[in-house]
Amino acid sequence: MCGIVAYYGPDRAYDFLIKGLQRLEYRGYDSAGIALLNGDLRVYKNKGKVSELVDLTKGKNLEGNRGIGHTRWATHGEPNTINAHPHLSQDGDLALIHNGIIENYATLKKALQERGHIFKSDTDTEVLIHLIEEIQKAEQVNLFEAVRLALNEVVGAYAIVILSERDPNTLIAARKGSPLVVGISDRDGEYFIASDATPIVEYTRKVTYLNDGEIVSINEGNMTLKTIENVEKSPFIQNLEISLDALEKGGFEHFMLKEIFEQPKSIFDSMRGRFDKENLTFAMRSLQEFESKIKNLDRIIIVACGTSWHAGLVGEYLIEEFSRLPVEVEYASEFRYRNPIVNEDDLVIAISQSGETADTLAAMELAKERGATIYGICNVVGSSIPRMTHAGAYTHAGPEIGVASTKAFTAQVTVLTLLALGIADIRGKITTERLREVFAELDNIPQKVETLLEACADEVIKIAECYKDARNFLYLGRGYNFPVALEGALKLKEISYIHAEGYPAAEMKHGPIALIDEEMPVVVIATKRNYYEKVLSNIQEVKARKGKIIAIVTEGDEKVKEIADHTIEIPDTEDCLTPILATIPLQLLSYHIAVMRGCNVDQPRNLAKSVTVE
Ligand code: G6P
């Protein structure tokens, strides 16, 4: 939520800032702004997207080789130009960009107002820069020290960068709870700062990820790292492995479509080298290292949000089926506030694409405090969640830029499948015969996804044409396909703004059936190996009330075809692997409906991809 970038070096900062903000726009796109320093400090900011900021800056003085930039997802104050970042100190000397929330801003603001500070915006960020200014003047300290002292008074989360007109050779950045990466160029005295590594990779592969409570100071071209307690630290420099192609649309109209079509590869990459289908062995370090812990587990708790929570539900079914361990799946936001029972023999699995979701991080922290072992399934390398875990596995889906999650979901389910099989194997709950069968089919999945993407394309577009103007949609599924129904409905509402609900097919009669009439499209996942006859009855119940059925069926199905209005065939597979295949046409259906309705599929309104506020 909110993306920040900063440049310090010999070149014009503007070019890096704009390109960087465009890469980070998935984090929020309510407003955008930059501050450039070239003798004087100039701020350009605007409501709307980065492209509108580019229009605003046309013909303006864009010189300066220090600069900061921000793209906003509003928390405090409506998304208008005044509330856009950067924010200035009272005397205009300091400019600040901020991602996060200053929780005690109201108290700080009141005290500052009593001492004569006048605020222009409604933001918590403006309060912070006034506080820094006040401390700098009162204590007669340098900018680093003023920032450090101010941060000691702040409660909340932040990733910040500050520029000063009076001190043009200094740039200060700090983090707590919101991510921040510093790129170190091969050219002396050149640094790039951003919320994630995607703006940086084009310029340097050498980066350091800040830890919570760390402040970076770039002064006269040299970088120093300290904690907010003033303890010096040496930065841990690592190499980025992101490919630049992964950050471009590569000929597709939208990132979302590109990411849907990348799934044969992202699923393959998420399983590659992690199991041996001939020898029936696993090569997942996290499983080997935690073998004794896994043997003694009492229970598994999965915490996640959004689409990752849906993957968690599939995980529950997988783990309970294969290893007969009880699993609870929790919304991270609920878990953290309800004093849950967590024990030392629990394994808590946190699932997250971004690795930065504030609620998931807080849930992990709570579980860790109570002695549980924390396992992370995460996509973004080096992000906060994997750094907080005891063990874990990356999903290797590559950068996901479309705000609605697609390839991350199928990659998460792939990793969860391997984890479920691995736990079952360690606990002696799966026969070699069964392991052989599932491994063999898992190995076929990327190819099946490839075939499916091609085979269903035309039918999905036809169906989208028929229902693009619907006001409501219902999605039904049973067993492994229930989370798929939830995910299908979420995808549709996120990007097309059509109200959609996912339901267990059998629960329909306890409520949603009242909504069914000739206007209501009902998407039913009715695959052969998954309660087929039962789902068939649910389809009949919808038809009897004149609802329109869009059925996801197994290749060669005849029975559902006879009664459904539309069918989309998916290749036959193991019941437990159906979610990976059944999700694909639902992603495409949402995508095409949203495009036909003229919606911005990559940046749907009000949403952000990386939710760093609770
Ligand atoms: C946001 C995104 C969703 C995502 C959810 C959880 O709501 O728009 O696509 O599923 O956050 O994010 P995470 O990065 O933890 O998977």
Side-chain angles (χ1 to χ4, degrees):
M1 241 146 215
C2 299
I4 64 182
V5 282
Y7 179 80
Y8 183 113
D11 290 344
R12 194 168 86 149
Y14 178 82
D15 308 302
F16 170 74
L17 298 180
I18 292 295
K19 222 172 179 188
L21 288 179
Q22 275 158 345
R23 290 230 200 278
L24 293 179
E25 226 172 3
Y26 71 86
R27 303 177 69 88
Y29 28 84
D30 291 336
S31 61
I34 51 170
L36 300 168
L37 191 57
N38 188 27
D40 61 333
L41 187 64
R42 272 158 287 121
V43 173
Y44 304 109
K45 57 185 188 176
N46 214 1
K47 179 176 181 313
K49 303 226 154 109
V50 179
S51 57
E52 290 161 70
L53 177 67
V54 172
D55 292 342
L56 175 83
T57 53
K58 275 192 185 130
K60 301 263 168 55
N61 175 1
L62 302 176
E63 292 313 308
N65 40 29
R66 313 272 183 270
I68 56 180
H70 187 272
T71 177
R72 178 167 188 246
W73 187 89
T75 56
H76 289 71
E78 71 170 273
N80 57 25
T81 300
I82 291 178
N83 288 333
H85 299 214
H87 288 282
L88 294 177
S89 55
Q90 177 123 322
D91 67 2
D93 174 59
L94 305 175
L96 168 71
I97 48 171
H98 169 215
N99 165 211
I101 290 186
I102 308 299
E103 286 169 15
N104 58 340
Y105 88 103
T107 324
L108 294 170
K109 186 172 184 175
K110 192 159 171 275
L112 286 162
Q113 277 168 328
E114 281 164 12
R115 295 195 291 268
H117 285 257
I118 296 163
F119 293 94
K120 296 192 175 107
S121 75
D122 307 319
T123 63
D124 51 338
T125 306
E126 195 185 8
V127 175
L128 178 57
I129 196 64
H130 279 238
L131 180 68
I132 294 169
E133 171 186 36
E134 191 181 75
I135 291 177
Q136 192 179 19
K137 286 184 178 162
E139 306 288 328
Q140 294 286 307
V141 288
N142 64 21
L143 184 57
F144 173 85
E145 193 57 9
V147 173
R148 193 184 75 76
L149 293 172
L151 293 180
N152 276 288
E153 289 188 32
V154 156
V155 179
Y158 51 77
I160 54 170
V161 190
I162 298 150
L163 276 182
S164 162
E165 192 178 280
R166 274 198 293 274
D167 192 358
N169 286 326
T170 299
L171 180 143
I172 310 284
R175 93 155 251 180
K176 186 180 160 222
S178 301
L180 208 58
V181 193
V182 182
I184 301 142
S185 168
D186 288 335
R187 299 201 283 176
D188 266 359
E190 186 179 46
Y191 299 91
F192 310 88
I193 298 180
S195 299
D196 72 28
T198 56
I200 297 176
V201 63
E202 208 170 321
Y203 302 88
T204 177
R205 293 202 167 254
K206 264 196 296 179
V207 294
T208 181
Y209 290 87
L210 258 62
N211 290 311
D212 275 349
E214 288 182 347
I215 314 178
V216 146
S217 162
I218 297 164
N219 192 271
E220 304 290 347
N222 298 312
M223 181 174 106
T224 47
L225 182 67
K226 284 189 177 175
T227 65
I228 64 169
E229 291 83 25
N230 214 13
V231 178
E232 194 136 350
K233 306 229 1 213
S234 31
F236 173 66
I237 315 264
Q238 55 192 103
N239 264 322
L240 288 177
E241 278 170 20
I242 308 170
S243 96
L244 260 181
D245 290 350
L247 306 175
E248 307 291 343
K249 283 191 198 145
F252 285 88
E253 204 180 328
H254 297 100
F255 278 110
M256 181 178 175
L257 191 61
K258 175 185 175 228
E259 287 157 9
I260 292 173
F261 275 85
E262 275 172 354
Q263 288 176 107
K265 180 172 184 311
S266 52
I267 294 166
F268 175 72
D269 286 347
S270 300
M271 63 169 89
R272 185 174 41 173
R274 287 181 160 164
F275 68 101
D276 179 338
K277 68 176 173 147
E278 310 302 334
N279 297 315
L280 303 184
T281 52
F282 293 85
M284 288 172 82
R285 215 179 57 207
S286 53
L287 284 178
Q288 282 137 15
E289 278 174 11
F290 281 80
E291 194 167 327
S292 66
K293 178 90 206 170
I294 289 169
K295 279 190 177 140
N296 295 315
L297 285 181
D298 277 346
R299 181 176 66 144
I300 291 179
I301 301 169
I302 299 179
V303 291
C305 302
T307 290
S308 299
W309 184 80
H310 294 155
L313 285 181
V314 181
E316 174 186 15
Y317 291 18
L318 286 162
I319 296 168
E320 291 200 345
E321 176 184 341
F322 291 122
S323 65
R324 309 308 301 152
L325 256 176
V327 180
E328 287 166 29
V329 187
E330 299 262 4
Y331 284 115
S333 53
E334 287 298 312
F335 181 79
R336 60 182 290 197
Y337 284 120
R338 65 167 185 79
N339 194 14
I341 299 167
V342 186
N343 299 314
E344 283 174 11
D345 287 330
D346 289 337
L347 179 74
V348 172
I349 303 177
I351 308 174
S352 175
Q353 188 287 128
S354 64
E356 300 294 346
T357 304
D359 284 321
T360 308
L361 275 163
M364 291 164 69
E365 218 164 288
L366 185 147
K368 210 174 182 183
E369 273 165 22
R370 297 189 180 181
T373 303
I374 317 291
Y375 191 97
I377 295 179
C378 194
N379 196 40
V380 178
V381 176
S383 56
S384 302
I385 287 178
R387 289 192 295 152
M388 207 205 259
T389 55
H390 296 108
Y394 280 114
T395 40
H396 300 307
E400 190 182 65
I401 293 167
V403 164
S405 186
T406 52
K407 63 174 180 172
F409 174 77
T410 47
Q412 287 164 345
V413 174
T414 304
V415 171
L416 281 160
T417 308
L418 287 171
L419 189 62
L421 293 170
I423 293 173
D425 191 41
I426 288 171
R427 294 171 68 93
K429 296 284 184 194
I430 187 164
T431 63
T432 47
E433 197 39 49
R434 186 73 188 117
L435 196 55
R436 191 182 307 282
E437 281 167 10
V438 185
F439 272 171
E441 187 51 18
L442 195 56
D443 201 42
N444 290 332
I445 288 290
Q447 185 52 52
K448 289 191 173 179
V449 172
E450 180 104 55
T451 314
L452 171 60
L453 279 165
E454 229 171 84
C456 74
D458 294 346
E459 190 57 25
V460 171
I461 292 173
K462 267 191 229 155
I463 299 171
E465 281 286 358
C466 292
Y467 298 104
K468 65 179 192 309
D469 298 318
R471 299 186 56 200
N472 297 289
F473 260 78
L474 192 60
Y475 285 72
L476 303 175
R478 279 180 188 243
Y480 278 106
N481 289 331
F482 162 51
V484 177
L486 292 178
E487 177 56 13
L490 178 66
K491 240 25 5 140
L492 187 71
K493 65 187 141 198
E494 277 180 317
I495 60 169
S496 73
Y497 320 137
I498 296 175
H499 168 247
E501 273 190 64
Y503 244 78
E507 276 292 302
M508 176 186 65
K509 56 187 171 294
H510 299 295
I513 199 162
L515 301 171
I516 293 174
D517 60 16
E518 59 279 7
E519 306 269 283
M520 175 68 111
V522 182
V523 178
V524 186
I525 304 130
T527 47
K528 271 272 167 58
R529 303 200 199 186
N530 199 305
Y531 311 98
Y532 182 66
E533 297 296 335
K534 302 270 175 213
V535 178
L536 213 58
S537 311
N538 299 133
I539 292 177
Q540 297 285 14
E541 288 157 13
V542 173
K543 284 310 298 174
R545 286 152 187 92
K546 300 197 168 56
K548 298 283 184 289
I549 293 286
I550 302 159
I552 310 297
V553 298
T554 308
E555 233 162 34
D557 179 283
E558 291 304 331
K559 280 193 194 166
V560 178
K561 255 189 201 157
E562 270 173 28
I563 43 176
D565 297 271
H566 311 269
T567 50
I568 300 169
E569 291 193 346
I570 64 169
D572 186 29
T573 189
E574 287 281 343
D575 189 18
C576 62
L577 299 175
T578 313
I580 301 179
L581 299 183
T583 301
I584 308 274
L586 304 189
Q587 295 169 343
L588 282 170
L589 182 65
S590 313
Y591 171 80
H592 288 296
I593 289 179
V595 171
M596 287 170 194
R597 288 166 69 93
C599 300
N600 184 340
V601 288
D602 282 339
Q603 295 175 346
R605 70 181 180 210
N606 304 338
L607 297 177
K609 192 155 186 68
S610 183
V611 183
T612 52
V613 295
E614 56 172 275

